[in-house]
Amino acid sequence: GESVGLHLPTLSVQEGDNSIINCAYSNSASDYFIWYKQESGKGPQFIIDIRSNMDKRQGQRVTVLLNKTVKHLSLQIAATQPGDSAVYFCAENRDTGNQFYFGTGTSLTVIP
Amino acid sequence: ETGVTQTPRHLVMGMTNKKSLKCEQHLGHNAMYWYKQSAKKPLELMFVYNFKEQTENNSVPSRFSPECPNSSHLFLHLHTLQPEDSALYLCASSQEVNNEQFFGPGTRLTVL
């Protein structure tokens, strides 16, 4: 399954399939990006991050890809499990100021 | 759960009440944050504290008053709130500003 940016807020995938969640950012000066997962009733949880000097970073079952040319970030989840059901959102940090800017998120539902 | 705790988890208050939200981080971090999370909207940064000093105030109404007595504790004092202030209020901390942030579970606030 695949979602595009912040304009498609829901994504449903079959258990065991791979998921791809996308995020578009606006500021070419952004140099640090984080993906967060937020389960119902909980605060956001860090998943993986990437800096602008990289275009790919892998974690356990997750991969983040960064395309600075088109200002696009994606999160790939391999072999999606029911426990992956949550809202995922990206955050970008710009090289000025002390804050991250967050997207509205994509709600991922894993169908058993 | 992360090393960031928040109390209370749920709060219902009238518009004339005064209440306080509490956040404590057990991670030895130097920066702490208050965010507001409303349905279908991105996380809104409210305040940033770095080494107990406030470094960001994102045009937050004065009915929200933060307090940071030390690097481990952060409060948000509330008075004469409006119904539109109903939201999930999240606290976060990071080792330094612009580092990955660790979030607490949030306080679900309802203003009647």
Side-chain angles (χ1 to χ4, degrees):
Chain A
E2 184 169 353
S3 68
V4 179
L6 307 175
H7 304 292
L8 189 64
T10 63
L11 175 66
S12 296
V13 298
Q14 288 291 139
E15 182 178 358
D17 286 354
N18 297 333
S19 302
I20 300 174
I21 300 171
N22 297 302
C23 182
Y25 63 96
S26 57
N27 193 324
S28 57
S30 295
D31 59 359
Y32 180 46
F33 305 87
I34 300 178
W35 278 103
Y36 284 95
K37 171 186 180 183
Q38 187 173 19
E39 297 176 87
S40 180
K42 297 184 178 181
Q45 178 185 5
F46 172 91
I47 302 174
I48 192 168
D49 60 357
I50 190 167
R51 296 199 177 271
S52 58
N53 60 350
M54 304 174 69
D55 53 20
K56 180 179 180 179
R57 190 153 189 240
Q58 288 185 289
Q60 187 176 16
R61 281 199 310 117
V62 294
T63 300
V64 56
L65 299 178
L66 175 62
N67 185 330
K68 294 181 286 294
T69 302
V70 295
K71 297 198 285 290
H72 183 270
L73 191 70
S74 69
L75 177 70
Q76 300 177 6
I77 305 174
T80 314
Q81 302 169 359
D84 295 327
S85 293
V87 174
Y88 291 81
F89 51 88
C90 60
E92 59 177 299
N93 183 255
R94 301 167 188 177
D95 60 0
T96 58
N98 294 329
Q99 60 182 295
F100 283 85
Y101 295 85
F102 292 82
T104 51
T106 296
S107 178
L108 174 67
T109 300
V110 180
I111 304 167
Chain B
E1 288 288 10
T2 66
V4 181
T5 59
Q6 290 186 243
T7 56
R9 294 294 307 274
H10 300 272
L11 178 62
V12 179
M13 59 187 289
M15 289 190 285
T16 58
N17 291 158
K18 290 184 180 181
K19 296 287 184 182
S20 295
L21 309 184
K22 179 182 176 181
C23 175
E24 182 174 1
Q25 58 98 358
H26 313 272
L27 302 168
H29 288 167
N30 298 314
M32 295 188 77
Y33 312 78
W34 278 118
Y35 286 91
K36 177 183 179 182
Q37 187 175 40
S38 305
K40 299 184 179 180
K41 293 175 72 173
L43 280 176
E44 299 174 52
L45 179 67
M46 300 174 73
F47 302 104
V48 179
Y49 277 83
N50 192 28
F51 292 96
K52 302 187 300 178
E53 298 298 319
Q54 188 180 125
T55 57
E56 293 283 345
N57 176 341
N58 274 5
S59 303
V60 180
S62 60
R63 58 185 183 270
F64 295 91
S65 175
E67 178 190 0
C68 188
N70 54 62
S71 292
S72 299
H73 293 86
L74 187 64
F75 295 89
L76 187 63
H77 303 299
L78 316 171
H79 63 98
T80 59
L81 294 193
Q82 305 298 312
E84 59 264 30
D85 296 322
S86 298
L88 182 68
Y89 287 84
L90 290 161
C91 174
S93 71
S94 62
Q95 184 62 51
E96 308 292 342
V97 293
N98 299 342
N99 288 174
E100 64 188 78
Q101 295 173 15
F102 294 79
F103 286 83
T107 295
R108 174 66 63 186
L109 174 68
T110 302
V111 181
L112 302 177

